[in-house]
Amino acid sequence: MNPVSLLLLGVLGLLVIFWIRSLSPKKRGKAVILIVLVIISLFVLLMALTGRLHWIAAIVAGLLPFAQKLFPLVLRLLPFVGQAYKYRQQTRKGSGNRSEVKTRIIAMQLDHDSGVMYGSVTEGPFAGKELGDLSEAQFIDLLQYCREQDTDSARLLEAYLDKRFGDSWRQDDPTGQRDEPSAGNGSLSIQEAYEILGLKTGASRDEIIEAHRRLMQKNHPDRGGSDYLAAKINQAKEVLLKHVVS
């Protein structure tokens, strides 16, 4: 394979990786399976076009005896694999690597490690839909609905759009409106503050400060983060530190 082809494959591979990382965890598994199926299909097509399809048949025939022996073993191991996966998911949920910010219309999550935001709509004409599934026109309609119904939801959605698209989406915003970067109208409950910082109930003062520092490294406005989210993170820290002191 010539260097140009290798370079193109490398660039394509990087684009695919970035695309997968931008998806919510629920969709990453399906995306990986789809990519694997596409690669296998292209490989089989290439072998057929080059007259080497019989090689695949020979390899499959050679592996059949081993597959017959391995299949019962795989069936016996499946329950253990399921338990290991469940344990891993439970560990992730309590690891403090994910923050949750909820408003009346939007439920948003932020992955601490990658900085990727993903969420869903909980109220209105797009209720039940994942933000990653919405088109550009639907985002603008949802933003208009949020501005009419709940200011906090509009600010949170703007933070998501800024994180995902930069400022380019604002060219399609018919009002050109930009909300003030406050943390919202209401005070945070202690539970909401824990969720925003991605901490378990009863976290220590040091854990609160560390979670705040880690989140602000990726969400500070001076580093391309969201004013609204930064204000929420600061507010959550203040609420929890007062709770710890008291």
Side-chain angles (χ1 to χ4, degrees):
M1 184 177 291
N2 60 61
V4 176
S5 299
L6 286 174
L7 179 61
L8 291 175
L9 285 176
V11 172
L12 180 61
L14 287 174
L15 291 175
V16 170
I17 291 173
F18 289 140
W19 173 66
I20 292 176
R21 289 188 63 183
S22 69
L23 299 175
S24 66
K26 293 181 180 179
K27 296 182 179 180
R28 287 177 189 170
K30 294 180 180 179
V32 171
I33 293 174
L34 177 62
I35 291 171
V36 170
L37 290 176
V38 170
I39 292 174
I40 292 174
S41 300
L42 291 175
F43 176 74
V44 172
L45 178 62
L46 177 63
M47 296 296 282
L49 292 175
T50 56
R52 300 174 183 173
L53 195 58
H54 61 282
W55 289 9
I56 297 178
I59 293 173
V60 172
L63 292 176
L64 278 178
F66 297 99
Q68 291 174 350
K69 295 179 180 179
L70 287 175
F71 187 68
L73 177 62
V74 172
L75 288 179
R76 287 197 295 269
L77 290 175
L78 279 178
F80 299 100
V81 174
Q83 290 177 4
Y85 177 77
K86 186 181 294 185
Y87 174 78
R88 184 181 177 188
Q89 292 297 103
Q90 290 173 348
T91 303
R92 281 185 173 182
K93 287 180 181 178
S95 64
N97 288 331
R98 189 175 300 167
S99 297
E100 295 185 12
V101 183
K102 299 175 183 177
T103 61
R104 177 179 145 192
I105 302 172
I106 305 291
M108 195 79 69
Q109 292 187 333
L110 172 67
D111 186 272
H112 290 199
D113 298 325
S114 65
V116 174
M117 294 177 65
Y118 51 93
S120 58
V121 185
T122 58
E123 180 187 309
F126 300 102
K129 287 195 173 185
E130 297 285 334
L131 292 179
D133 293 336
L134 298 182
S135 66
E136 183 179 342
Q138 288 175 322
F139 273 126
I140 298 301
D141 290 343
L142 176 60
L143 182 58
Q144 292 300 106
Y145 176 81
C146 290
R147 285 171 173 166
E148 294 170 0
Q149 302 295 326
D150 183 58
T151 303
D152 274 356
S153 297
R155 290 169 180 162
L156 184 57
L157 183 58
E158 283 193 356
Y160 171 85
L161 294 174
D162 285 338
K163 189 84 171 179
R164 182 171 172 181
F165 303 110
D167 284 335
S168 61
W169 68 270
R170 295 186 183 275
Q171 299 174 2
D172 301 317
D173 184 1
T175 64
Q177 178 179 343
R178 183 188 288 267
D179 289 309
E180 293 298 322
S182 69
N185 300 322
S187 60
L188 287 179
S189 68
I190 294 175
Q191 185 57 40
E192 287 173 331
Y194 278 124
E195 290 175 353
I196 289 172
L197 294 185
L199 294 171
K200 293 181 181 179
T201 302
S204 67
R205 180 183 183 87
D206 289 342
E207 289 173 329
I208 294 168
I209 294 173
E210 173 60 23
H212 174 268
R213 182 192 65 79
R214 186 172 60 247
L215 283 171
M216 289 303 291
Q217 283 180 340
K218 294 187 177 180
N219 291 279
H220 195 282
D222 292 343
R223 300 182 181 180
S226 160
D227 289 323
Y228 176 76
L229 281 181
K232 278 287 186 184
I233 293 167
N234 286 331
Q235 187 182 12
K237 175 190 173 184
E238 292 174 4
V239 168
L240 292 184
L241 287 181
K242 289 179 182 178
H243 174 67
V244 169
V245 171
S246 61

